[in-house]
Amino acid sequence: MQWETVIGLEIHVQLQTKSKIFSGASTAYGAAPNTQACEVSIALPGVLPVMNTEAARLAVKFGLAIGAEINQRSVFARKNYFYPDLPKGYQISQFEIPIVGKGEVEIEMDGKRRKIGVTRAHLEEDAGKSLHENFDKETGIDLNRAGTPLLEIVSEPDMRSAEEAVAYLRKIHSIVRYLGISDGNMQEGSFRCDANVSVRPVGQSEFGTRAELKNINSFRFVEKAIRIEVDRQIDLLEDGGEVVQETRLYDSDKNETRSMRSKEEAHDYRYFPDPDLPPMILDDAFIADVKQSLPELPHERKERFIDSFSLGVQESDQLTQDKALADFFEEVNTTSAAGPRIACNWILGELSASLNNEDLEITQSKISAPQMATLLDRIHDKTISGKLAKEVFAAMWQGEGDADSVIEKRGLKQITDSGEIEAIVDQVLADASDQVQQYKDGNQKVIGFFVGQIMKISQGKANPQQVNEILRKKLD
Amino acid sequence: MHEKTVQQHAEALKKGEYSSVELTTHYLDRIKQHESLNAFITTTESQALEQAERADKRIQSGDATTLTGIPIAQKDIFCTKGVLTTCGSKILEGFISPYDATVITKINDQGMVMLGKTNMDEFAMGSSNETSFYGPVQNPWDTGKVPGGSSGGSASAVAARLAPVASATDTGGSIRQPAAFCGLTGIKPSYGRVSRYGMIAFASSLDQAGIITRNAEDAALMLQAMSGFDARDSTSLDLEVPDYMATLEDSIAGKTIGLPKEFFGDGVDSAVADAIQLAIRELEALGAKTVEVELPNSEVGIPCYYVLAPAEASSNLSRFDGVRYGFRAGEYDDLNDMYEQTRAEGFGEEVQRRIMIGTYVLSSGYYDAYYIKAQKLRRMISDDFTRAFQKCDLIAGPTTPGTAFPLADKNDDPVAMYLNDIFTNSVNLAGLPGISVGAGLDEAGLPIGLHLIGKYLDESTILNVAHQYQKVTDWHLKAPGGFA
Amino acid sequence: MSITSDQITHIARLARLKTDPEKSEYYAAQLTRIMNLVEQMNQIDIGDTEPMSHPQDAGLRLRADAVTAEDQREDFQSIAPNAKDGLYLVPKVIE
């Protein structure tokens, strides 16, 4: 039987505010346990929540960026359940009326564009952390994270493959980074993803029973976790079994998903409007103000790259997905006289390859944008050839210094003195009378042989254009 | 000394007739003397004397407010820094609050002296003060009778002259009903008037702090000090507080008093009904007009209240889980068992009952039938008041259908207990201000309360009418035998 | 209407209150009486009234994004039933 995969994602994005969503405690990452857990964070009796305006701003920013409906009246509700990292015994979230309603984002798969629906995005507070390793018979609770603002972005079940899910996830990641509403750091948990995965026979319109994969903490794992879960479900169904609706945890060490027993107990969250928080009303001025602060978004930047720099669709897309990469490109391009074409080639070529090799982010690049710009300028002003530039790049990457000092140290400066080049040409032609004869007999291809010989003798430093010119002059 | 009201103490302190330390010592002695009333859970003698010393210095240096140096009893629902705060529950065993409620801060800023924390129904759930983990409180008018609840300790303390004033809170009648049962003045202001920050929540959309005093003048003075905007409470009103004292002496001639026929039906004891009729005559004699009004949905106020209040409470009380503060059970198998044992041992029966009702009405499949329906009824009840207030300036009636009942009388019948708040809890549902003032004694010599309900934010009118009523009557001057 | 002791057991579980059959039986009888009182709501024709969750008609007040809280861990944990190394301790949670 042919199976179709159906995936919906719930993405939790920690919003970049200084203080928590309902209290004045700091949201800074990495503090000693419970030192950023104020009386509201630890839910002392009698304390009350007061909403952070910035959290509302950032949520609206996201909504506007994806062209979603903004609910100018939204309601905070309590989601009731007991867990030691949830100090009040309820999470303040939004249920019936979220701040952001329906919207959509576009992803590109193999050159084809697809729209993925966003059902809603709502504000809520993060829970604390449970530390299971520190003690033998006990779990330690750190409430520093409790109350950090989250935007939960819920997609429609619109994705049909693990790759699409990752493309969508990357898209949302790119948007939140562009907007500056989150640092998007997956390792630190500021960008987390749950995936609802089901399969159904191709052609069937109803959805299959889904499993929810919890807290997958890297793009790579999202793809792997979904793949392995899809395989599990198909195997199960083909063996005549049934998929159980449940929460499953992805184990990246074993590359398997397993049922989370502790969450098996049927939940009844008993949502109701939080009586401590009246409905949040955002007036037109608030929305207009946020709208004005919207930066250029990835798709807008991509269009600009295509239009202003005459770059291709795919390379523009590659450059603009990651805001930091696009920023790097633009910095190189404005600093260097070499032009956008060459900058694009080098950034998507050598630079990206080197980053990938060492699993680095663009922000961790060993060559800065100004250094890169100088390198490209040296190609542009013919100090070095494109070919030797690769050697220079590699040396710079290894930390041998900037372009000029590497060129200097290694003596890679291009030979542009025509007298010097002519002498080499003469020597090569004198040593290869057979090939000269072939050329004269009409075999144009041997010109490549001559160039090769000349470059060999000049150690690649002879200016190729001049070499060509002089060769033709001598032979014709 | 203890026969004096807050106002009278203020004058005496100002004149130097006695010091705050002397006054405080006097009240602390009385509290000890009448320990059997069980009005206090905690007394804070050493802190009280320190505060009194500071107050005396303030008075001497001319830096005092009217309230500086005057002792007060605080309901044990307010968090008080460095002092055990129990909310009448075992589950808050050992909870020395690390912070002060806003109400406490405001009262401390006045230089008032805290004598201790008063007994109360556990988490303010009760109408007799019998659900307290710390035992029942006696009514000074008849020690075999309940003082009312949930602010029973506050009412008993003020009635017995163990404190000239006590703070209190009211979710469905918890200020007004004990004030009525103890012959006192108790005001619950409009929802949002007094900060709820640091006041341990029972039902957040109904809870409101207020005050129990011996007369309306003291109530006005105290409410002035307690009210006002608090940025830490999202339901606190960012509005200027009217000068309550300034309008106390206004004539009430021409004011229209609405009399809801639903408040004068069969369910009211004849002694109570007669006393309230007499009180209304007095008000008419002062020039007020009366008009009949209708509150057609008031009969379902109690059912509506007993859906909404437990629903909110079931969620508010989830934080008491034995993890971060308070009581944790001694033995348990695992996390869930720890939760279940802690909460079953830590909460009393009435609290568990209400948590279960609240959990039930919010649970899947029942939410619409109970919770949403109750919220709709709440709107209808509120709209009834709005319509009634188109015809009148305030509404009057009995605070309770009867007078104080014997201890242990209604313990086996929660429904009978709930019906005690029939006239008070619709006022909380609508968020309106209400005051109870003593308006007579029944044949057994037990106090009867007159209930005045104001328009939203209009505490001034009910304080004014209550004060004018007290100027021509002397019920508020009567003290229970043996406590004068 | 009547509430069964099985329902009580379920509710008590949701609310993390330890029960036993006897206790469930007892509360079932009590809650049945209370819910019968609550059922009086059904006498009223509610129509399409808007639910009222707050007694005020106001919107939410928003606060400026500023860190105002200080570290009070020591104070807070001095009243904790079980805390160590800055953490609150609970019986081991198995995921």
Side-chain angles (χ1 to χ4, degrees), chain A residues 445-468:
Chain A
K445 282 181 189 162
V446 287
I447 206 101
F449 168 78
F450 297 132
V451 172
Q453 290 299 307
I454 294 160
M455 285 303 177
K456 203 170 162 189
I457 292 167
S458 74
Q459 292 172 297
K461 290 186 286 190
N463 179 301
Q465 234 175 326
Q466 282 172 291
V467 169
N468 258 312

PDB file of all heavy atoms in Angstrom, chain A residues 445-468:
ATOM      1  N   LYS A 445      42.840  23.394 -29.870  1.00  0.00           N
ATOM      2  CA  LYS A 445      42.803  22.879 -28.497  1.00  0.00           C
ATOM      3  C   LYS A 445      44.158  22.929 -27.785  1.00  0.00           C
ATOM      4  O   LYS A 445      44.217  23.000 -26.564  1.00  0.00           O
ATOM      5  CB  LYS A 445      42.301  21.430 -28.480  1.00  0.00           C
ATOM      6  CG  LYS A 445      40.782  21.340 -28.620  1.00  0.00           C
ATOM      7  CD  LYS A 445      40.347  19.883 -28.558  1.00  0.00           C
ATOM      8  CE  LYS A 445      38.876  19.750 -28.907  1.00  0.00           C
ATOM      9  NZ  LYS A 445      38.565  18.351 -29.273  1.00  0.00           N
ATOM     10  N   VAL A 446      45.232  22.871 -28.532  1.00  0.00           N
ATOM     11  CA  VAL A 446      46.540  22.845 -27.881  1.00  0.00           C
ATOM     12  C   VAL A 446      46.833  24.119 -27.110  1.00  0.00           C
ATOM     13  O   VAL A 446      47.746  24.161 -26.298  1.00  0.00           O
ATOM     14  CB  VAL A 446      47.706  22.564 -28.878  1.00  0.00           C
ATOM     15  CG1 VAL A 446      47.673  21.113 -29.309  1.00  0.00           C
ATOM     16  CG2 VAL A 446      47.669  23.527 -30.041  1.00  0.00           C
ATOM     17  N   ILE A 447      46.038  25.165 -27.381  1.00  0.00           N
ATOM     18  CA  ILE A 447      46.249  26.414 -26.638  1.00  0.00           C
ATOM     19  C   ILE A 447      46.182  26.156 -25.135  1.00  0.00           C
ATOM     20  O   ILE A 447      46.924  26.729 -24.337  1.00  0.00           O
ATOM     21  CB  ILE A 447      45.226  27.485 -27.087  1.00  0.00           C
ATOM     22  CG1 ILE A 447      45.784  28.915 -26.859  1.00  0.00           C
ATOM     23  CG2 ILE A 447      43.915  27.384 -26.333  1.00  0.00           C
ATOM     24  CD1 ILE A 447      46.304  29.531 -28.105  1.00  0.00           C
ATOM     25  N   GLY A 448      45.279  25.216 -24.753  1.00  0.00           N
ATOM     26  CA  GLY A 448      45.152  24.842 -23.347  1.00  0.00           C
ATOM     27  C   GLY A 448      46.445  24.255 -22.795  1.00  0.00           C
ATOM     28  O   GLY A 448      46.841  24.531 -21.666  1.00  0.00           O
ATOM     29  N   PHE A 449      47.116  23.486 -23.617  1.00  0.00           N
ATOM     30  CA  PHE A 449      48.391  22.902 -23.217  1.00  0.00           C
ATOM     31  C   PHE A 449      49.418  23.987 -22.925  1.00  0.00           C
ATOM     32  O   PHE A 449      50.095  23.968 -21.904  1.00  0.00           O
ATOM     33  CB  PHE A 449      48.890  21.950 -24.326  1.00  0.00           C
ATOM     34  CG  PHE A 449      50.323  21.522 -24.141  1.00  0.00           C
ATOM     35  CD1 PHE A 449      50.670  20.529 -23.213  1.00  0.00           C
ATOM     36  CD2 PHE A 449      51.355  22.130 -24.883  1.00  0.00           C
ATOM     37  CE1 PHE A 449      51.993  20.156 -23.060  1.00  0.00           C
ATOM     38  CE2 PHE A 449      52.678  21.760 -24.716  1.00  0.00           C
ATOM     39  CZ  PHE A 449      53.007  20.765 -23.809  1.00  0.00           C
ATOM     40  N   PHE A 450      49.485  24.986 -23.857  1.00  0.00           N
ATOM     41  CA  PHE A 450      50.441  26.096 -23.666  1.00  0.00           C
ATOM     42  C   PHE A 450      50.149  26.844 -22.370  1.00  0.00           C
ATOM     43  O   PHE A 450      51.042  27.107 -21.572  1.00  0.00           O
ATOM     44  CB  PHE A 450      50.382  27.080 -24.845  1.00  0.00           C
ATOM     45  CG  PHE A 450      50.778  26.458 -26.172  1.00  0.00           C
ATOM     46  CD1 PHE A 450      49.999  26.643 -27.318  1.00  0.00           C
ATOM     47  CD2 PHE A 450      51.947  25.690 -26.275  1.00  0.00           C
ATOM     48  CE1 PHE A 450      50.349  26.079 -28.527  1.00  0.00           C
ATOM     49  CE2 PHE A 450      52.300  25.118 -27.504  1.00  0.00           C
ATOM     50  CZ  PHE A 450      51.503  25.311 -28.630  1.00  0.00           C
ATOM     51  N   VAL A 451      48.853  27.158 -22.146  1.00  0.00           N
ATOM     52  CA  VAL A 451      48.475  27.908 -20.935  1.00  0.00           C
ATOM     53  C   VAL A 451      48.887  27.124 -19.687  1.00  0.00           C
ATOM     54  O   VAL A 451      49.475  27.672 -18.757  1.00  0.00           O
ATOM     55  CB  VAL A 451      46.956  28.214 -20.913  1.00  0.00           C
ATOM     56  CG1 VAL A 451      46.532  28.818 -19.579  1.00  0.00           C
ATOM     57  CG2 VAL A 451      46.587  29.144 -22.050  1.00  0.00           C
ATOM     58  N   GLY A 452      48.603  25.832 -19.733  1.00  0.00           N
ATOM     59  CA  GLY A 452      48.969  24.972 -18.604  1.00  0.00           C
ATOM     60  C   GLY A 452      50.455  25.052 -18.311  1.00  0.00           C
ATOM     61  O   GLY A 452      50.870  25.207 -17.150  1.00  0.00           O
ATOM     62  N   GLN A 453      51.279  24.957 -19.359  1.00  0.00           N
ATOM     63  CA  GLN A 453      52.730  25.014 -19.195  1.00  0.00           C
ATOM     64  C   GLN A 453      53.179  26.357 -18.625  1.00  0.00           C
ATOM     65  O   GLN A 453      53.990  26.419 -17.711  1.00  0.00           O
ATOM     66  CB  GLN A 453      53.425  24.766 -20.552  1.00  0.00           C
ATOM     67  CG  GLN A 453      53.279  23.326 -21.043  1.00  0.00           C
ATOM     68  CD  GLN A 453      53.893  22.302 -20.092  1.00  0.00           C
ATOM     69  OE1 GLN A 453      55.052  22.410 -19.719  1.00  0.00           O
ATOM     70  NE2 GLN A 453      53.106  21.327 -19.667  1.00  0.00           N
ATOM     71  N   ILE A 454      52.557  27.429 -19.156  1.00  0.00           N
ATOM     72  CA  ILE A 454      52.928  28.780 -18.701  1.00  0.00           C
ATOM     73  C   ILE A 454      52.597  28.945 -17.216  1.00  0.00           C
ATOM     74  O   ILE A 454      53.393  29.441 -16.422  1.00  0.00           O
ATOM     75  CB  ILE A 454      52.203  29.861 -19.546  1.00  0.00           C
ATOM     76  CG1 ILE A 454      52.710  29.803 -20.994  1.00  0.00           C
ATOM     77  CG2 ILE A 454      52.394  31.253 -18.951  1.00  0.00           C
ATOM     78  CD1 ILE A 454      51.784  30.438 -22.013  1.00  0.00           C
ATOM     79  N   MET A 455      51.393  28.462 -16.831  1.00  0.00           N
ATOM     80  CA  MET A 455      50.969  28.580 -15.438  1.00  0.00           C
ATOM     81  C   MET A 455      51.871  27.759 -14.520  1.00  0.00           C
ATOM     82  O   MET A 455      52.146  28.148 -13.399  1.00  0.00           O
ATOM     83  CB  MET A 455      49.508  28.119 -15.276  1.00  0.00           C
ATOM     84  CG  MET A 455      48.511  29.142 -15.806  1.00  0.00           C
ATOM     85  SD  MET A 455      48.738  30.757 -14.982  1.00  0.00           S
ATOM     86  CE  MET A 455      47.536  31.752 -15.827  1.00  0.00           C
ATOM     87  N   LYS A 456      52.280  26.623 -15.050  1.00  0.00           N
ATOM     88  CA  LYS A 456      53.149  25.755 -14.262  1.00  0.00           C
ATOM     89  C   LYS A 456      54.452  26.481 -13.931  1.00  0.00           C
ATOM     90  O   LYS A 456      54.886  26.526 -12.779  1.00  0.00           O
ATOM     91  CB  LYS A 456      53.433  24.477 -15.059  1.00  0.00           C
ATOM     92  CG  LYS A 456      53.836  23.283 -14.195  1.00  0.00           C
ATOM     93  CD  LYS A 456      53.865  22.026 -15.037  1.00  0.00           C
ATOM     94  CE  LYS A 456      54.649  20.920 -14.372  1.00  0.00           C
ATOM     95  NZ  LYS A 456      54.837  19.790 -15.312  1.00  0.00           N
ATOM     96  N   ILE A 457      55.032  27.068 -14.966  1.00  0.00           N
ATOM     97  CA  ILE A 457      56.289  27.772 -14.771  1.00  0.00           C
ATOM     98  C   ILE A 457      56.120  29.000 -13.876  1.00  0.00           C
ATOM     99  O   ILE A 457      56.919  29.262 -12.983  1.00  0.00           O
ATOM    100  CB  ILE A 457      56.906  28.165 -16.146  1.00  0.00           C
ATOM    101  CG1 ILE A 457      57.346  26.865 -16.859  1.00  0.00           C
ATOM    102  CG2 ILE A 457      58.079  29.140 -15.976  1.00  0.00           C
ATOM    103  CD1 ILE A 457      57.687  27.066 -18.326  1.00  0.00           C
ATOM    104  N   SER A 458      54.986  29.711 -14.072  1.00  0.00           N
ATOM    105  CA  SER A 458      54.781  30.944 -13.269  1.00  0.00           C
ATOM    106  C   SER A 458      54.180  30.623 -11.902  1.00  0.00           C
ATOM    107  O   SER A 458      53.820  31.527 -11.152  1.00  0.00           O
ATOM    108  CB  SER A 458      53.871  31.917 -14.024  1.00  0.00           C
ATOM    109  OG  SER A 458      52.547  31.434 -13.982  1.00  0.00           O
ATOM    110  N   GLN A 459      54.015  29.350 -11.617  1.00  0.00           N
ATOM    111  CA  GLN A 459      53.373  28.901 -10.360  1.00  0.00           C
ATOM    112  C   GLN A 459      51.967  29.492 -10.222  1.00  0.00           C
ATOM    113  O   GLN A 459      51.541  29.875  -9.130  1.00  0.00           O
ATOM    114  CB  GLN A 459      54.227  29.275  -9.148  1.00  0.00           C
ATOM    115  CG  GLN A 459      55.539  28.488  -9.096  1.00  0.00           C
ATOM    116  CD  GLN A 459      56.454  29.009  -8.003  1.00  0.00           C
ATOM    117  OE1 GLN A 459      56.874  30.173  -8.078  1.00  0.00           O
ATOM    118  NE2 GLN A 459      56.754  28.170  -7.038  1.00  0.00           N
ATOM    119  N   GLY A 460      51.312  29.581 -11.374  1.00  0.00           N
ATOM    120  CA  GLY A 460      49.919  30.034 -11.380  1.00  0.00           C
ATOM    121  C   GLY A 460      49.737  31.533 -11.248  1.00  0.00           C
ATOM    122  O   GLY A 460      48.631  32.021 -11.152  1.00  0.00           O
ATOM    123  N   LYS A 461      50.867  32.259 -11.226  1.00  0.00           N
ATOM    124  CA  LYS A 461      50.734  33.690 -10.937  1.00  0.00           C
ATOM    125  C   LYS A 461      50.564  34.574 -12.171  1.00  0.00           C
ATOM    126  O   LYS A 461      50.241  35.743 -12.065  1.00  0.00           O
ATOM    127  CB  LYS A 461      51.965  34.161 -10.137  1.00  0.00           C
ATOM    128  CG  LYS A 461      51.967  33.579  -8.715  1.00  0.00           C
ATOM    129  CD  LYS A 461      53.077  34.129  -7.871  1.00  0.00           C
ATOM    130  CE  LYS A 461      54.413  33.526  -8.285  1.00  0.00           C
ATOM    131  NZ  LYS A 461      55.488  33.873  -7.323  1.00  0.00           N
ATOM    132  N   ALA A 462      50.847  34.007 -13.324  1.00  0.00           N
ATOM    133  CA  ALA A 462      50.714  34.819 -14.537  1.00  0.00           C
ATOM    134  C   ALA A 462      49.253  35.179 -14.756  1.00  0.00           C
ATOM    135  O   ALA A 462      48.374  34.327 -14.616  1.00  0.00           O
ATOM    136  CB  ALA A 462      51.241  34.042 -15.728  1.00  0.00           C
ATOM    137  N   ASN A 463      49.032  36.431 -15.103  1.00  0.00           N
ATOM    138  CA  ASN A 463      47.660  36.870 -15.344  1.00  0.00           C
ATOM    139  C   ASN A 463      47.112  36.147 -16.566  1.00  0.00           C
ATOM    140  O   ASN A 463      47.650  36.289 -17.667  1.00  0.00           O
ATOM    141  CB  ASN A 463      47.643  38.384 -15.565  1.00  0.00           C
ATOM    142  CG  ASN A 463      46.237  38.882 -15.836  1.00  0.00           C
ATOM    143  OD1 ASN A 463      45.595  38.453 -16.799  1.00  0.00           O
ATOM    144  ND2 ASN A 463      45.773  39.791 -14.997  1.00  0.00           N
ATOM    145  N   PRO A 464      46.058  35.331 -16.407  1.00  0.00           N
ATOM    146  CA  PRO A 464      45.582  34.462 -17.484  1.00  0.00           C
ATOM    147  C   PRO A 464      45.190  35.256 -18.736  1.00  0.00           C
ATOM    148  O   PRO A 464      45.440  34.807 -19.850  1.00  0.00           O
ATOM    149  CB  PRO A 464      44.352  33.788 -16.885  1.00  0.00           C
ATOM    150  CG  PRO A 464      44.385  34.042 -15.433  1.00  0.00           C
ATOM    151  CD  PRO A 464      45.272  35.203 -15.172  1.00  0.00           C
ATOM    152  N   GLN A 465      44.589  36.416 -18.516  1.00  0.00           N
ATOM    153  CA  GLN A 465      44.158  37.211 -19.670  1.00  0.00           C
ATOM    154  C   GLN A 465      45.348  37.644 -20.539  1.00  0.00           C
ATOM    155  O   GLN A 465      45.339  37.506 -21.751  1.00  0.00           O
ATOM    156  CB  GLN A 465      43.428  38.449 -19.163  1.00  0.00           C
ATOM    157  CG  GLN A 465      42.065  38.596 -19.773  1.00  0.00           C
ATOM    158  CD  GLN A 465      41.327  39.771 -19.136  1.00  0.00           C
ATOM    159  OE1 GLN A 465      41.486  40.053 -17.953  1.00  0.00           O
ATOM    160  NE2 GLN A 465      40.558  40.446 -19.947  1.00  0.00           N
ATOM    161  N   GLN A 466      46.371  38.117 -19.821  1.00  0.00           N
ATOM    162  CA  GLN A 466      47.576  38.560 -20.543  1.00  0.00           C
ATOM    163  C   GLN A 466      48.262  37.394 -21.247  1.00  0.00           C
ATOM    164  O   GLN A 466      48.710  37.499 -22.375  1.00  0.00           O
ATOM    165  CB  GLN A 466      48.553  39.232 -19.576  1.00  0.00           C
ATOM    166  CG  GLN A 466      48.142  40.648 -19.227  1.00  0.00           C
ATOM    167  CD  GLN A 466      49.022  41.196 -18.114  1.00  0.00           C
ATOM    168  OE1 GLN A 466      48.938  40.741 -16.981  1.00  0.00           O
ATOM    169  NE2 GLN A 466      49.879  42.151 -18.462  1.00  0.00           N
ATOM    170  N   VAL A 467      48.272  36.248 -20.523  1.00  0.00           N
ATOM    171  CA  VAL A 467      48.873  35.045 -21.108  1.00  0.00           C
ATOM    172  C   VAL A 467      48.204  34.732 -22.443  1.00  0.00           C
ATOM    173  O   VAL A 467      48.859  34.519 -23.470  1.00  0.00           O
ATOM    174  CB  VAL A 467      48.765  33.845 -20.149  1.00  0.00           C
ATOM    175  CG1 VAL A 467      49.134  32.531 -20.853  1.00  0.00           C
ATOM    176  CG2 VAL A 467      49.647  34.057 -18.932  1.00  0.00           C
ATOM    177  N   ASN A 468      46.888  34.746 -22.446  1.00  0.00           N
ATOM    178  CA  ASN A 468      46.120  34.470 -23.654  1.00  0.00           C
ATOM    179  C   ASN A 468      46.460  35.409 -24.794  1.00  0.00           C
ATOM    180  O   ASN A 468      46.691  34.995 -25.933  1.00  0.00           O
ATOM    181  CB  ASN A 468      44.620  34.572 -23.351  1.00  0.00           C
ATOM    182  CG  ASN A 468      44.014  33.175 -23.198  1.00  0.00           C
ATOM    183  OD1 ASN A 468      44.264  32.306 -24.046  1.00  0.00           O
ATOM    184  ND2 ASN A 468      43.291  32.959 -22.126  1.00  0.00           N
TER     185      ASN A 468
END
